[in-house]
């Protein structure tokens, strides 16, 4: 199979990406959070190809990306709380889990058979351009093998998926660096299904205190809820004193072989997180290191999303 076609971040590249999606092909597209493995969300065979390419469990639903609120309203019902959140934070790193509308037209595998759909309006101009050229919804989980480190650069996509993706739209590194926050707005409370690029502190003025429901039982409601996820090949340990030979990732005053942010800046750490994990994994392989150890990260703001990813990356592997 040929290597993936590398598309430029130009009008021609956007049009080519949309044309491939219309043909039922998989295209890695940039968002402000991570690169997504995109397919036409209305095409069952294309959506099935996402699951096959990633090795993703069929019960793990996908996020649908649309260009604007009006398009989201054709697919799902937005209660008042959901619409207020959408108007405040879309486009941006927020996903809402919403009841499907009759006649929505999405492939059944997108929602993993659930009666609700996870929808986001991405802010990245290249992703927006492709969505508007396609004139249809796109399903796009992170562009990496299931359970492994998410992709924030075209090189991560190529190294992880190779010829399983037809093309990669190269818009450089992602700026937010961790996936979107996922909420399920209800009549009286809003549940937090995944920590992400929009911190609780920004959301709770609109919703009141969020009810965390980030690791459910057997039935997943949203992506990113699996206990083991985002994992490097090497074992990952959080905090504590490094053992001999381990690859260390620092934060702030805690130094390491690599660092998420030498100044202790959580936004910088979030942007760098997956790229640093990829580098640490490569370094562990080169040195035959027994493990990777990450310095403690404050459990506040974007630190919650960083720690969520790190805890899942450190969890026992299935």
């Amino acid at each position: 199979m040929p290597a993936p076609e590398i598309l430029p971040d130009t009008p021609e590249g956007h049009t080519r990406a949309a044309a491939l999606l219309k043909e039922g092909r998989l295209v890695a597209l940039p968002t402000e959070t991570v690169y997504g493995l995109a397919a036409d969300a209305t095409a069952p065979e294309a959506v099935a190809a996402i699951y096959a390419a990633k090795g993703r469990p069929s019960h793990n639903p996908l996020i649908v990306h649309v260009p604007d609120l009006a398009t989201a309203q054709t697919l799902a019902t937005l209660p008042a709380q959901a619409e207020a959140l959408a108007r405040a934070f879309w486009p941006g790193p927020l996903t809402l889990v919403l009841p499907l509308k009759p006649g929505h037209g999405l492939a059944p595998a997108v929602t993993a058979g659930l009666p609700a759909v996870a929808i986001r309006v991405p802010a990245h101009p290249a992703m927006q351009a492709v969505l508007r050229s396609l004139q249809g919804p796109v399903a796009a989980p992170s562009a990496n093998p299931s359970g492994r480190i998410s992709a924030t650069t075209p090189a991560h996509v190529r190294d992880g998926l190779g010829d399983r993706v037809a093309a990669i739209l190269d818009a450089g590194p992602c700026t937010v660096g961790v996936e979107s926050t996922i909420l399920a707005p209800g009549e009286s409370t809003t549940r937090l299904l995944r920590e992400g690029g929009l911190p609780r502190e920004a959301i709770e003025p609109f919703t009141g205190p969020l009810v965390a429901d980030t690791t459910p039982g057997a039935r997943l409601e949203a992506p990113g809820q699996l206990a083991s996820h985002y994992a490097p090949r090497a074992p990952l340990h959080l905090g504590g004193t490094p053992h001999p030979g381990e690859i260390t990732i620092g934060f702030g005053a805690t130094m390491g072989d690599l660092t998420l942010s030498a100044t202790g800046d959580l936004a910088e750490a979030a942007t760098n997180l997956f790229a640093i994990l990829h580098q640490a994994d490569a370094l562990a392989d080169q040195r035959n290191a027994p493990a990777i150890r990450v310095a403690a990260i404050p459990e506040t703001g974007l630190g919650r999303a960083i720690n969520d990813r790190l805890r899942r990356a450190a969890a026992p592997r299935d």
Side-chain angles (χ1 to χ4, degrees), residues 53-197:
K54 285 177 62 70
R56 186 182 180 93
S58 61
H59 66 286
N60 194 4
L62 307 176
I63 293 177
V64 172
H65 295 70
V66 295
D68 49 38
L69 173 58
T71 305
Q73 290 170 323
T74 67
L75 302 174
T77 300
L78 278 76
Q81 180 71 268
E83 186 166 337
L85 287 165
R87 293 189 184 281
F89 297 113
W90 280 354
L94 174 66
T95 295
L96 299 176
V97 175
L98 304 165
L100 281 164
K101 276 188 171 177
H104 52 79
L106 297 173
V110 168
T111 64
L114 298 171
V117 61
I119 299 184
R120 180 163 98 84
V121 177
H124 199 291
M127 182 62 144
Q128 278 283 337
V130 174
L131 287 169
R132 294 185 185 281
S133 181
L134 179 65
Q135 296 185 325
V138 161
S142 56
N144 55 278
S146 184
R148 295 302 181 184
I149 307 169
S150 298
T152 55
T153 70
H156 296 161
V157 179
R158 186 177 60 250
D159 292 346
L161 294 176
D163 60 13
R164 285 172 280 176
V165 58
I168 303 169
L169 179 58
D170 185 351
C174 301
T175 54
V176 174
V178 291
E179 292 88 349
S180 60
T181 302
I182 303 182
L183 302 178
E187 292 185 7
S188 58
T189 60
T190 296
R191 290 183 299 130
L192 174 68
L193 302 184
R194 181 175 74 183
E195 300 273 10

Side-chain angles (χ1 to χ4, degrees), residues 235-261:
L236 186 76
H237 302 308
L238 308 182
T241 302
H243 294 177
E246 288 182 338
I247 304 301
T248 54
I249 300 175
F251 176 78
T254 302
M255 304 300 290
D257 297 297
L258 304 162
T259 184
L260 293 174
S261 171

Side-chain angles (χ1 to χ4, degrees), residues 207-288:
T207 61
L210 295 172
V211 177
D213 191 10
T214 55
T215 305
R219 193 170 179 82
L220 300 179
E221 292 183 74
Q225 293 188 306
L226 292 171
S228 177
H229 209 359
Y230 314 109
R233 293 183 298 273
L236 186 76
H237 302 308
L238 308 182
T241 302
H243 294 177
E246 288 182 338
I247 304 301
T248 54
I249 300 175
F251 176 78
T254 302
M255 304 300 290
D257 297 297
L258 304 162
T259 184
L260 293 174
S261 171
T263 62
D265 183 293
L266 289 172
E268 181 183 23
T271 299
N272 291 338
L273 176 63
F274 291 130
I276 291 294
L277 286 177
H278 279 285
Q279 291 176 39
D281 207 23
L283 198 57
D285 186 56
Q286 291 170 15
R287 297 183 183 176
N288 197 27

Side-chain angles (χ1 to χ4, degrees), residues 286-300:
Q286 291 170 15
R287 297 183 183 176
N288 197 27
I292 300 166
R293 189 171 297 270
V294 185
I297 306 294
E299 189 73 16
T300 184

